[in-house]
Amino acid sequence: MAVIENSKVAIVGAGSVGTAIAYACLIRRSARTIALYDVNKPKVEAEVLDLQHGALYTGSSQVIGGADPAVVEGAHLVVITAGAKQDPGQTRIDLAGTNVGILEKLLPVLMAHAPNAVYMLVTNPCDVLTVAAQQITGLPEERVMASGTVLDTSRLRQLLAVRAGVAPHSVHADIVGEHGDTEFALWSQARIGPVPILDWQPSATSGDQRPFTHAELDQITDAVRNAAYRVIEGKGATNYAIGVSATRIIEAVLTDENAVLPVSIVHRGHHGIDGVALSLPSIVNANGVGRVLGVRMSAQEERHLYDSAEALRKVQQDLGI
Ligand code: NAD
């Protein structure tokens, strides 16, 4: 799978999310070396052993790790999952102060070991943390991204796929904006195969015979927006879907794929946004984000994007970043 020779991904934080990403990378053979780093020594050592013990059945990826940050040495991509997570009822934004504080100490150490890496934030609120990380590291904007709405987009396509009776890969629709409460679907561009979503004609054999309506699309957006709250209420964390979503981005970087994915970077002028990170469909390759696509939006979608950026800017101002 990997195109970068002897590719190495470092995953920082060996909790529910970090280990789900490591496991997905292992079984998909996404990198030659998968390094896990966490301050919790017994936990990270146990996770590394558990992952290593499946070697017979997982291909040739090497899993290393521990509580010494030197394990990230030479990584092509550093994925950050370390930090506080949402308790039931908490928003992602509630975590901002704590997790910016963690990044201020963590990033200089990681940069000393992996100065040439692309950095990807998964820890929440991932958009705000991307701005903080870019400022702390001084790296070019394109080398510091967040997984953003790649996960939310998967949730959206899965719901639409079930409703329309097609494979998720045949649904073309994106969630953009904040990875959080102000995110929204780009319905003006949404298609099933080549068919605009509101023109979709259910077949006589599909289970659901109704065409999509604006009201139903609004309900689907709400379901996506609230999906994490539902999962956290039931099991205390979300991990499997972010595991494969982050791995999708990891593969785009390590294979220099130029894949279009809705990742988040600090914007300098796209849709009039400056100094705020949020997700827009972007080309992802070995350099990080190669280009943010100029996507046409309806007037209402432009307003939603502006509102999302302003909500994030307010959080940044409160944090002094
Ligand atoms: P967790 O509590 O299970 O794991 C966090 C890990 O970070 C712990 O093992 C802890 O020891 C480690 N850690 C803390 N400070 C550290 C430091 N300075 N250096 C190294 N390791 C450190 O939490 P989780 O469920 O894995 O969630 C992690 C983060 O991912 C949370 O902020 C959560 O909100 C976020 N998340 C993001 C998405 C997304 O789509 N962006 C999805 C799910 C979860």
PDB file of all heavy atoms in Angstrom, residues 219-236:
ATOM      1  N   GLN A 219     -33.021  16.680   8.278  1.00  0.00           N
ATOM      2  CA  GLN A 219     -32.994  15.661   9.354  1.00  0.00           C
ATOM      3  C   GLN A 219     -31.707  14.834   9.280  1.00  0.00           C
ATOM      4  O   GLN A 219     -31.110  14.485  10.304  1.00  0.00           O
ATOM      5  CB  GLN A 219     -34.185  14.700   9.215  1.00  0.00           C
ATOM      6  CG  GLN A 219     -35.477  15.257   9.732  1.00  0.00           C
ATOM      7  CD  GLN A 219     -36.668  14.389   9.299  1.00  0.00           C
ATOM      8  OE1 GLN A 219     -36.494  13.292   8.761  1.00  0.00           O
ATOM      9  NE2 GLN A 219     -37.860  14.898   9.520  1.00  0.00           N
ATOM     10  N   ILE A 220     -31.279  14.535   8.068  1.00  0.00           N
ATOM     11  CA  ILE A 220     -30.051  13.738   7.906  1.00  0.00           C
ATOM     12  C   ILE A 220     -28.843  14.538   8.403  1.00  0.00           C
ATOM     13  O   ILE A 220     -27.974  14.007   9.100  1.00  0.00           O
ATOM     14  CB  ILE A 220     -29.899  13.279   6.432  1.00  0.00           C
ATOM     15  CG1 ILE A 220     -30.977  12.238   6.114  1.00  0.00           C
ATOM     16  CG2 ILE A 220     -28.497  12.718   6.171  1.00  0.00           C
ATOM     17  CD1 ILE A 220     -31.071  11.828   4.651  1.00  0.00           C
ATOM     18  N   THR A 221     -28.805  15.838   8.074  1.00  0.00           N
ATOM     19  CA  THR A 221     -27.707  16.678   8.584  1.00  0.00           C
ATOM     20  C   THR A 221     -27.690  16.651  10.112  1.00  0.00           C
ATOM     21  O   THR A 221     -26.637  16.507  10.737  1.00  0.00           O
ATOM     22  CB  THR A 221     -27.855  18.144   8.101  1.00  0.00           C
ATOM     23  OG1 THR A 221     -27.929  18.150   6.685  1.00  0.00           O
ATOM     24  CG2 THR A 221     -26.675  18.997   8.548  1.00  0.00           C
ATOM     25  N   ASP A 222     -28.870  16.777  10.728  1.00  0.00           N
ATOM     26  CA  ASP A 222     -28.940  16.753  12.201  1.00  0.00           C
ATOM     27  C   ASP A 222     -28.443  15.424  12.751  1.00  0.00           C
ATOM     28  O   ASP A 222     -27.743  15.385  13.768  1.00  0.00           O
ATOM     29  CB  ASP A 222     -30.382  16.965  12.676  1.00  0.00           C
ATOM     30  CG  ASP A 222     -30.774  18.432  12.647  1.00  0.00           C
ATOM     31  OD1 ASP A 222     -29.867  19.278  12.532  1.00  0.00           O
ATOM     32  OD2 ASP A 222     -31.983  18.711  12.721  1.00  0.00           O
ATOM     33  N   ALA A 223     -28.808  14.340  12.071  1.00  0.00           N
ATOM     34  CA  ALA A 223     -28.383  13.007  12.553  1.00  0.00           C
ATOM     35  C   ALA A 223     -26.853  12.902  12.511  1.00  0.00           C
ATOM     36  O   ALA A 223     -26.237  12.350  13.431  1.00  0.00           O
ATOM     37  CB  ALA A 223     -29.025  11.913  11.698  1.00  0.00           C
ATOM     38  N   VAL A 224     -26.250  13.452  11.469  1.00  0.00           N
ATOM     39  CA  VAL A 224     -24.787  13.407  11.360  1.00  0.00           C
ATOM     40  C   VAL A 224     -24.161  14.272  12.459  1.00  0.00           C
ATOM     41  O   VAL A 224     -23.231  13.850  13.147  1.00  0.00           O
ATOM     42  CB  VAL A 224     -24.334  13.894   9.960  1.00  0.00           C
ATOM     43  CG1 VAL A 224     -22.828  14.082   9.911  1.00  0.00           C
ATOM     44  CG2 VAL A 224     -24.798  12.920   8.890  1.00  0.00           C
ATOM     45  N   ARG A 225     -24.718  15.470  12.635  1.00  0.00           N
ATOM     46  CA  ARG A 225     -24.186  16.408  13.633  1.00  0.00           C
ATOM     47  C   ARG A 225     -24.241  15.813  15.041  1.00  0.00           C
ATOM     48  O   ARG A 225     -23.382  16.051  15.868  1.00  0.00           O
ATOM     49  CB  ARG A 225     -25.047  17.670  13.574  1.00  0.00           C
ATOM     50  CG  ARG A 225     -24.283  18.933  13.744  1.00  0.00           C
ATOM     51  CD  ARG A 225     -25.218  20.117  13.602  1.00  0.00           C
ATOM     52  NE  ARG A 225     -25.198  20.729  12.305  1.00  0.00           N
ATOM     53  CZ  ARG A 225     -26.277  21.192  11.658  1.00  0.00           C
ATOM     54  NH1 ARG A 225     -27.477  21.102  12.194  1.00  0.00           N
ATOM     55  NH2 ARG A 225     -26.157  21.743  10.481  1.00  0.00           N
ATOM     56  N   ASN A 226     -25.271  15.030  15.293  1.00  0.00           N
ATOM     57  CA  ASN A 226     -25.457  14.498  16.649  1.00  0.00           C
ATOM     58  C   ASN A 226     -24.966  13.061  16.798  1.00  0.00           C
ATOM     59  O   ASN A 226     -25.115  12.465  17.873  1.00  0.00           O
ATOM     60  CB  ASN A 226     -26.934  14.584  17.039  1.00  0.00           C
ATOM     61  CG  ASN A 226     -27.355  16.040  17.176  1.00  0.00           C
ATOM     62  OD1 ASN A 226     -26.628  16.837  17.767  1.00  0.00           O
ATOM     63  ND2 ASN A 226     -28.485  16.404  16.594  1.00  0.00           N
ATOM     64  N   ALA A 227     -24.364  12.524  15.757  1.00  0.00           N
ATOM     65  CA  ALA A 227     -23.966  11.108  15.773  1.00  0.00           C
ATOM     66  C   ALA A 227     -23.000  10.811  16.911  1.00  0.00           C
ATOM     67  O   ALA A 227     -23.153   9.814  17.643  1.00  0.00           O
ATOM     68  CB  ALA A 227     -23.332  10.737  14.431  1.00  0.00           C
ATOM     69  N   ALA A 228     -21.989  11.676  17.100  1.00  0.00           N
ATOM     70  CA  ALA A 228     -20.973  11.398  18.125  1.00  0.00           C
ATOM     71  C   ALA A 228     -21.606  11.412  19.513  1.00  0.00           C
ATOM     72  O   ALA A 228     -21.285  10.570  20.355  1.00  0.00           O
ATOM     73  CB  ALA A 228     -19.846  12.421  18.045  1.00  0.00           C
ATOM     74  N   TYR A 229     -22.529  12.359  19.752  1.00  0.00           N
ATOM     75  CA  TYR A 229     -23.162  12.436  21.070  1.00  0.00           C
ATOM     76  C   TYR A 229     -23.857  11.110  21.380  1.00  0.00           C
ATOM     77  O   TYR A 229     -23.811  10.617  22.503  1.00  0.00           O
ATOM     78  CB  TYR A 229     -24.188  13.576  21.116  1.00  0.00           C
ATOM     79  CG  TYR A 229     -23.555  14.960  21.038  1.00  0.00           C
ATOM     80  CD1 TYR A 229     -23.752  15.775  19.940  1.00  0.00           C
ATOM     81  CD2 TYR A 229     -22.764  15.438  22.076  1.00  0.00           C
ATOM     82  CE1 TYR A 229     -23.179  17.039  19.863  1.00  0.00           C
ATOM     83  CE2 TYR A 229     -22.184  16.704  22.012  1.00  0.00           C
ATOM     84  CZ  TYR A 229     -22.396  17.499  20.899  1.00  0.00           C
ATOM     85  OH  TYR A 229     -21.813  18.737  20.831  1.00  0.00           O
ATOM     86  N   ARG A 230     -24.512  10.560  20.372  1.00  0.00           N
ATOM     87  CA  ARG A 230     -25.251   9.315  20.562  1.00  0.00           C
ATOM     88  C   ARG A 230     -24.312   8.167  20.919  1.00  0.00           C
ATOM     89  O   ARG A 230     -24.569   7.371  21.828  1.00  0.00           O
ATOM     90  CB  ARG A 230     -25.983   8.983  19.251  1.00  0.00           C
ATOM     91  CG  ARG A 230     -27.334   8.417  19.493  1.00  0.00           C
ATOM     92  CD  ARG A 230     -28.061   8.202  18.195  1.00  0.00           C
ATOM     93  NE  ARG A 230     -28.632   6.857  18.213  1.00  0.00           N
ATOM     94  CZ  ARG A 230     -29.110   6.258  17.155  1.00  0.00           C
ATOM     95  NH1 ARG A 230     -29.064   6.846  15.985  1.00  0.00           N
ATOM     96  NH2 ARG A 230     -29.617   5.057  17.252  1.00  0.00           N
ATOM     97  N   VAL A 231     -23.190   8.092  20.190  1.00  0.00           N
ATOM     98  CA  VAL A 231     -22.235   6.989  20.437  1.00  0.00           C
ATOM     99  C   VAL A 231     -21.583   7.166  21.815  1.00  0.00           C
ATOM    100  O   VAL A 231     -21.464   6.197  22.589  1.00  0.00           O
ATOM    101  CB  VAL A 231     -21.165   6.938  19.319  1.00  0.00           C
ATOM    102  CG1 VAL A 231     -20.144   5.844  19.611  1.00  0.00           C
ATOM    103  CG2 VAL A 231     -21.819   6.698  17.961  1.00  0.00           C
ATOM    104  N   ILE A 232     -21.212   8.407  22.141  1.00  0.00           N
ATOM    105  CA  ILE A 232     -20.541   8.668  23.430  1.00  0.00           C
ATOM    106  C   ILE A 232     -21.494   8.353  24.593  1.00  0.00           C
ATOM    107  O   ILE A 232     -21.092   7.783  25.606  1.00  0.00           O
ATOM    108  CB  ILE A 232     -20.027  10.124  23.488  1.00  0.00           C
ATOM    109  CG1 ILE A 232     -18.849  10.282  22.520  1.00  0.00           C
ATOM    110  CG2 ILE A 232     -19.609  10.516  24.913  1.00  0.00           C
ATOM    111  CD1 ILE A 232     -18.435  11.710  22.225  1.00  0.00           C
ATOM    112  N   GLU A 233     -22.766   8.676  24.431  1.00  0.00           N
ATOM    113  CA  GLU A 233     -23.775   8.360  25.448  1.00  0.00           C
ATOM    114  C   GLU A 233     -23.794   6.860  25.743  1.00  0.00           C
ATOM    115  O   GLU A 233     -23.854   6.426  26.884  1.00  0.00           O
ATOM    116  CB  GLU A 233     -25.159   8.804  24.905  1.00  0.00           C
ATOM    117  CG  GLU A 233     -26.244   8.955  25.925  1.00  0.00           C
ATOM    118  CD  GLU A 233     -25.979  10.064  26.937  1.00  0.00           C
ATOM    119  OE1 GLU A 233     -25.599  11.163  26.533  1.00  0.00           O
ATOM    120  OE2 GLU A 233     -26.136   9.764  28.152  1.00  0.00           O
ATOM    121  N   GLY A 234     -23.669   6.068  24.699  1.00  0.00           N
ATOM    122  CA  GLY A 234     -23.791   4.612  24.857  1.00  0.00           C
ATOM    123  C   GLY A 234     -22.512   3.906  25.248  1.00  0.00           C
ATOM    124  O   GLY A 234     -22.539   2.942  26.021  1.00  0.00           O
ATOM    125  N   LYS A 235     -21.335   4.359  24.736  1.00  0.00           N
ATOM    126  CA  LYS A 235     -20.102   3.595  24.987  1.00  0.00           C
ATOM    127  C   LYS A 235     -18.933   4.445  25.484  1.00  0.00           C
ATOM    128  O   LYS A 235     -17.831   3.935  25.654  1.00  0.00           O
ATOM    129  CB  LYS A 235     -19.709   2.765  23.749  1.00  0.00           C
ATOM    130  CG  LYS A 235     -19.434   3.556  22.481  1.00  0.00           C
ATOM    131  CD  LYS A 235     -18.945   2.654  21.334  1.00  0.00           C
ATOM    132  CE  LYS A 235     -17.458   2.734  21.178  1.00  0.00           C
ATOM    133  NZ  LYS A 235     -16.909   2.098  19.998  1.00  0.00           N
ATOM    134  N   GLY A 236     -19.174   5.739  25.715  1.00  0.00           N
ATOM    135  CA  GLY A 236     -18.158   6.576  26.356  1.00  0.00           C
ATOM    136  C   GLY A 236     -17.139   7.176  25.406  1.00  0.00           C
ATOM    137  O   GLY A 236     -16.371   8.041  25.800  1.00  0.00           O
TER     138      GLY A 236
END
